[in-house]
Amino acid sequence: MAELTDQVIVITGASSGIGEATARLLAEKGARVVLAARREERLNELRDSIEADGGTALVVPTDVTDREAVGHLINTAHETYGRLDVLVNNAGLMPLSMMEKTHEDEWEQMVDVNIKGVLYGIGAALPIMTEQGHGHVVNVSSVAGRRLFPGGAVYCGTKFFVRALSEGMRNELSNKHNIRVTSIEPGAVATELTHTITDEDILANFEGMEMTPLESIDIAESILYAISAPDRVNVEELLVMPTEQAM
Ligand SMILES: NC(=O)c1ccc[n+]([C@@H]2O[C@H](COP(=O)([O-])OP(=O)(O)OC[C@H]3O[C@@H](n4cnc5c(N)ncnc54)[C@H](OP(=O)(O)O)[C@@H]3O)[C@@H](O)[C@H]2O)c1
């Protein structure tokens, strides 16, 4: 396993769940983590907690639907530390709903955050990574990027996009520019992700579900595995499921 010491790692969606756990773990392993999301207070608390444990963290409040703001995030990380080793494109939301209910605003939000937000991060990071001759982009897709389920047509579509994008990026960037690309595909993880669901039928289905989900640290550990592999290794995809999740 390669060292993360002094590596500069930008994590979007760091204010809760998988992003927060990933920031804590990578900082513990010596990385300098740059924390992005909209809830600034949560990011400040996380930075303080990381620093109290001896780590290094920088907060850059960012709405990933704003291309300029994402450019500012990536440039701030680079200007502050003089390098950009890893971008973890993790911010996302999942307001599941049945298509017949036409929750168009929610469809648009998912496209804006889960697709365009990811592209903005990549667009800002690639010029720096190609110039420095190395880099690693970790895109958080989902098992929903491989399998469809009722209420997930649009969400799954965004996560299929992220997985396809990751494969295309690896094909074009890894050999030519020494940029590794990983698609992380979690099954159900206990986080705040379900809080944006407004479709009552979907919520009722969730209530009836009995299963031990993954914890955010389980996904943080898989991101750590991918980015700390030796330079010759590109972990292209990791599908990580709860043992009790059937599909
Ligand atoms: N939980 C699961 O079961 C599961 C399974 C597979 C994949 N995933 C994926 O894992 C990723 C992280 O989700 P999570 O489960 O950790 O849920 P979460 O706790 O709700 O975290 C989502 C993160 O995204 C951020 N975010 C949302 N909209 C944003 C915006 N416009 N700009 C910047 N940040 C934004 C949120 O921060 P702010 O609200 O502070 O902006 C939050 O930090 C998502 O991409 C999700 O699709 C989750």
Side-chain angles (χ1 to χ4, degrees), residues 12-19 36-39 62-65 89-94 113-114 140-143 155 159 185-194 216:
T12 68
S15 58
S16 59
I18 293 169
R38 293 164 305 174
R39 287 171 293 174
T62 308
D63 183 336
V64 300
T65 66
N89 258 322
N90 163 75
L93 75 173
M94 186 187 71
V113 176
N114 300 1
V140 179
S141 176
S142 171
V143 63
Y155 178 72
K159 293 301 183 181
E185 297 151 17
V189 188
T191 69
E192 298 170 23
L193 192 69
T194 50
S216 294

Side-chain angles (χ1 to χ4, degrees), residues 38-199:
R38 293 164 305 174
R39 287 171 293 174
E40 190 172 353
E41 258 182 40
R42 298 269 292 250
L43 296 178
N44 288 339
E45 280 167 23
L46 175 59
R47 178 204 51 213
D48 293 349
S49 162
I50 287 172
E51 288 182 350
D53 291 340
T56 304
L58 176 71
V59 167
V60 185
T62 308
D63 183 336
V64 300
T65 66
D66 178 341
R67 196 201 304 189
E68 265 185 38
V70 178
H72 172 74
L73 161 69
I74 299 293
N75 290 334
T76 302
H78 187 230
E79 281 160 18
T80 304
Y81 297 118
R83 55 195 274 189
L84 174 65
D85 299 282
V86 182
L87 166 63
V88 182
N89 258 322
N90 163 75
L93 75 173
M94 186 187 71
L96 302 174
S97 65
M98 302 304 285
M99 290 304 291
E100 65 197 9
K101 295 188 180 171
T102 59
H103 287 198
E104 290 176 273
D105 288 344
E106 294 178 349
W107 299 349
E108 200 166 346
Q109 278 178 338
M110 284 188 276
V111 170
D112 286 347
V113 176
N114 300 1
I115 294 183
K116 289 164 80 176
V118 169
L119 289 173
Y120 294 158
I122 291 163
L126 284 186
I128 295 168
M129 289 179 173
T130 51
E131 170 76 23
Q132 72 189 4
H134 72 93
H136 196 149
V137 178
V138 175
N139 294 321
V140 179
S141 176
S142 171
V143 63
R146 290 167 168 259
R147 298 168 199 164
L148 270 295
F149 53 85
V154 177
Y155 178 72
C156 293
T158 66
K159 293 301 183 181
F160 268 72
F161 171 88
V162 171
R163 195 160 66 87
L165 172 73
S166 304
E167 185 180 337
M169 285 176 66
R170 201 198 69 79
N171 291 347
E172 291 184 28
L173 297 167
S174 290
N175 179 37
K176 189 169 177 191
H177 293 290
N178 190 29
I179 295 172
R180 300 189 289 176
V181 184
T182 302
S183 170
I184 299 285
E185 297 151 17
V189 188
T191 69
E192 298 170 23
L193 192 69
T194 50
H195 293 189
T196 54
I197 300 174
T198 60
D199 183 331

